Amino acid sequence: DKVLDQQMFFLETSGRSSLSPRQACSVESAAKLSNLHIQVILLSATLDLMDNSTCYLYQTASNVSFYTIDMKTIFVNTPLQDIIRSKKFAKSQYKTTHQSDALRLALIFKYGGFYSDLDAVTIHDLSKFKNVIGSTKINSKVGTLSHLANGEFHFEKKHQLLWETMKMFTKAFTGNARVEVGPILITKAVKNLFHTDSMETVKSKQLTVLPIETFYPIKAFEVSRLWPTEPKSFTDWSRTFENSSMIHFYASQTNKWVVERDPSHEAYAVIAPRYCPVAFWSSDQF
């Protein structure tokens, strides 16, 4: 169990058989910096080693393992086992997203460890985090409360919060809204379990809500700051990320944004050569 607790899971739920360069960057940086064993789980039954950075991670990174997952068994003995098999779930308008939201809950509930989205770069040791989740904000208005993000978290196996969140998932799921069983759901579960609306105050052995800058130094609504129009110096970038362990890049918004390897206008051009050099340099189109 101790070994399982020292692991970090990434999920590739689109069905692709290799990682994109930016996904490979997430895995490579975690392998280098997190101090955890990296488990990359794909829905694909095969792994395409024709891709440079996927091949490098598979053959060279000693603390990275690749697996496929059995969708028929992963949800057994969890509150999600019936809804995942339902027609309603099969007809979800956002099936890849909803499948990913469900899988991360069941996986960490059953095995324990750190879960990360495949669009976050690790820049510090993550092994010190136990029963933690990152917070963020939906806008910059004064008085806006923090909510939880479900892109990075660590829980021991069979954690009560994950069970409660899965129970709520079955009630909240309609298949019509992209975010209905994501961050808002786990935020509601914490409110119910800890009887508070203030996420920042949750600090205990059972759960610690981390400051926003730990995993999300640039929030989703500020995503243009990752590709700033005004040039930024290395000192500027260092200041932005000085209290962060990971940097989230919001792939659903930024995947189409080109990286021209210009560090004054692209966070990736500063971060990737340091933390995921193989992924960064092994593709013309990072």
Side-chain angles (χ1 to χ4, degrees):
D1 284 358
K2 178 107 178 66
V3 173
L4 286 175
D5 213 31
Q6 292 295 308
Q7 65 186 341
M8 182 174 185
F9 290 95
F10 290 98
L11 286 170
E12 209 304 308
T13 53
S14 73
R16 291 174 67 235
S17 58
S18 65
L19 300 176
S20 72
R22 294 185 195 180
Q23 289 177 329
C25 173
S26 294
V27 175
E28 183 185 346
S29 64
K32 282 165 74 86
L33 276 300
S34 72
N35 220 10
L36 299 169
H37 188 90
I38 312 304
Q39 316 282 20
V40 183
I41 296 176
L42 301 94
L43 293 193
S44 168
T46 57
L47 188 64
D48 180 4
L49 296 181
M50 296 298 284
D51 174 74
N52 278 352
S53 38
T54 305
C55 185
Y56 163 78
L57 290 166
Y58 178 75
Q59 294 190 334
T60 314
S62 60
N63 63 331
V64 178
S65 304
F66 286 84
Y67 295 96
T68 188
I69 195 163
D70 184 350
M71 293 294 284
K72 290 188 180 73
T73 59
I74 187 65
F75 297 106
V76 170
N77 298 327
T78 78
L80 298 174
Q81 64 180 13
D82 294 330
I83 191 135
I84 295 298
R85 296 180 191 143
S86 68
K87 282 184 180 160
K88 185 161 75 166
F89 197 82
K91 289 179 179 169
S92 165
Q93 292 177 41
Y94 304 93
K95 190 164 179 203
T96 300
T97 300
H98 292 156
Q99 200 160 249
S100 176
D101 287 334
L103 265 174
R104 69 189 70 181
L105 296 171
L107 194 67
I108 302 301
F109 178 78
K110 284 193 165 182
Y111 295 102
F114 198 109
Y115 166 82
S116 176
D117 282 347
L118 270 167
D119 56 356
V121 180
T122 301
I123 62 171
H124 285 299
D125 182 357
L126 302 176
S127 64
K128 62 183 182 287
F129 293 122
K130 297 279 177 278
N131 296 329
V132 301
I133 191 165
S135 58
T136 189
K137 284 192 175 179
I138 201 160
N139 60 45
S140 58
K141 290 179 189 157
V142 176
T144 297
L145 292 174
S146 297
H147 68 82
L148 303 181
N150 69 341
E152 326 293 334
F153 54 79
H154 175 283
F155 290 109
E156 293 163 318
K157 75 174 184 179
K158 299 208 161 49
H159 196 284
Q160 186 191 3
L161 175 62
L162 298 176
W163 184 264
E164 291 300 321
T165 308
M166 288 190 282
K167 274 168 57 180
M168 290 171 67
F169 187 115
T170 63
K171 296 188 180 81
F173 181 79
T174 68
N176 300 325
R178 185 172 178 270
V179 297
E180 65 188 7
V181 286
I184 306 307
L185 193 70
I186 204 162
T187 303
K188 277 185 187 162
V190 169
K191 285 180 180 179
N192 292 351
L193 269 180
F194 291 87
H195 311 293
T196 179
D197 281 336
S198 176
M199 292 298 106
E200 296 97 328
T201 63
V202 180
K203 286 181 176 59
S204 71
K205 263 194 167 167
Q206 197 186 1
L207 175 67
T208 299
V209 174
L210 296 170
I212 294 172
E213 57 270 19
T214 310
F215 299 143
Y216 309 98
I218 290 173
K219 296 175 275 299
F221 68 87
E222 310 170 315
V223 71
S224 60
R225 287 179 57 204
L226 292 164
W227 271 259
T229 46
E230 293 290 315
K232 291 192 86 166
S233 67
F234 184 76
T235 308
D236 295 332
W237 288 118
S238 297
R239 205 170 291 127
T240 301
F241 302 134
E242 66 185 346
N243 295 313
S244 304
S245 294
M246 301 181 83
I247 302 163
H248 211 82
F249 277 87
Y250 310 100
S252 62
Q253 296 180 70
T254 64
N255 259 347
K256 293 189 174 73
W257 297 3
V258 177
V259 172
E260 294 177 335
R261 309 190 202 275
D262 174 3
S264 58
H265 294 282
E266 299 156 4
Y268 262 134
V270 176
I271 297 300
R274 285 167 178 77
Y275 300 105
C276 58
V278 175
F280 187 65
W281 296 112
S282 67
S283 170
D284 295 337
Q285 305 277 308
F286 179 76

